[in-house]
Amino acid sequence: QVQLQESGPGLVKPSQTLSLTCTVSGGSISSGSSYWSWVRQPAGKGLEWIGRIYTSGSTDYNPSLKSRVTISVDTSKNQFSLKLSSVTAADTAVYYCAREADYSNPFHYWGQGTLVTVSS
Amino acid sequence: DIQMTQSPSSLSASVGDRVIITCRASQSISSYLNWYQQKPGKAPNLLIYAASSLQSGVPSRFSGSGSGTDFTLTISSLQPEDFATYYCQQSYRTPINFGQGTNLEI
């Protein structure tokens, strides 16, 4: 059973870079044809897909955030990471990591989510 | 981008009711449509994938149908634990998009 766990600072100052890591357990991050995504949800609002990384390291990003987002993978640690630069209060949200088993698959597995607040 | 529009945005119902939530895509997505249930403070939970396939462990009162641009999620007989927010999601192409959610209330 694959499990995902987000970690990172819960508070980030405006204009700084938000950095989160998702640790995968119960399976190798580089096995199969999995895609590893980040999704966020502001309080009381809907879900927004941020982007994803394939096991090969190729990435897809949401055009609305593309200029500020970098997703990377560290196969030695079985982790993938999110960096979102130049954050504002609008980036305050619960951030989830999630897995698609293959291209165009649903998100079968999700992390529990981590709240990141952007405030000075 | 493919936009996903859910209706209604909120819905009041009672235990035992049959409920239908609809999701419309701005262009054809074949059957690449998934449904999730989310309860407060929890991650979304996959209910239906590929428009009509029931995820393992999900009660059979949940069902999905549709293809192309129009899809439905049906709950045949509401149970107390079904009161939650429901999201549709297209996995046809990036950027992946979700519907705005349907809040199902007692």
Side-chain angles (χ1 to χ4, degrees):
Chain A
Q1 176 83 350
V2 174
Q3 293 186 318
L4 294 83
Q5 177 69 59
E6 305 89 352
S7 60
L11 181 64
V12 181
K13 289 182 167 49
S15 80
Q16 293 191 341
T17 296
L18 178 160
S19 296
L20 295 175
T21 296
C22 182
T23 300
V24 178
S25 58
S28 171
I29 199 169
S30 55
S31 68
S33 304
S34 296
Y35 289 77
W36 305 93
S37 280
W38 289 96
V39 177
R40 70 180 183 178
Q41 184 173 39
K45 297 189 177 180
L47 300 161
E48 180 182 30
W49 179 75
I50 299 169
R52 69 185 182 188
I53 189 163
Y54 184 51
T55 51
S56 67
S58 64
T59 53
D60 296 304
Y61 297 132
N62 192 323
S64 66
L65 297 167
K66 187 174 182 177
S67 63
R68 300 193 291 131
V69 173
T70 302
I71 297 176
S72 59
V73 65
D74 185 337
T75 55
S76 67
K77 295 182 179 179
N78 229 33
Q79 296 174 335
F80 64 107
S81 298
L82 168 70
K83 291 189 185 299
L84 181 65
S85 64
S86 304
V87 297
T88 69
D91 296 308
T92 295
V94 174
Y95 286 74
Y96 296 101
C97 54
R99 176 200 176 212
E100 300 164 75
D102 205 337
Y103 187 78
S104 290
N105 271 211
F107 296 117
H108 277 95
Y109 298 103
W110 295 72
Q112 64 185 28
T114 187
L115 173 62
V116 179
T117 301
V118 178
S119 175
S120 55
Chain B
D1 295 9
I2 299 173
Q3 303 306 315
M4 307 302 295
T5 304
Q6 276 182 245
S7 61
S9 297
S10 63
L11 176 61
S12 294
S14 301
V15 173
D17 284 354
R18 183 171 184 259
V19 166
I20 297 175
I21 299 169
T22 65
C23 181
R24 175 166 288 177
S26 61
Q27 64 187 82
S28 177
I29 57 171
S30 185
S31 295
Y32 291 95
L33 190 284
N34 311 301
W35 289 98
Y36 300 84
Q37 177 192 67
Q38 187 180 33
K39 296 184 177 179
K42 299 294 187 181
N45 181 50
L46 179 65
L47 299 175
I48 302 286
Y49 62 95
S52 60
S53 295
L54 190 67
Q55 170 65 3
S56 175
V58 174
S60 59
R61 63 181 179 272
F62 291 91
S63 64
S65 66
S67 67
T69 60
D70 294 309
F71 302 87
T72 61
L73 172 70
T74 300
I75 310 173
S76 60
S77 178
L78 274 174
Q79 298 302 301
E81 61 268 29
D82 299 337
F83 292 94
T85 301
Y86 293 84
Y87 293 94
C88 62
Q89 174 238 335
Q90 67 84 11
S91 52
Y92 183 69
R93 77 161 60 111
T94 59
I96 293 167
N97 276 321
F98 295 85
Q100 78 277 19
T102 295
N103 184 25
L104 181 53
E105 303 173 314
I106 300 173

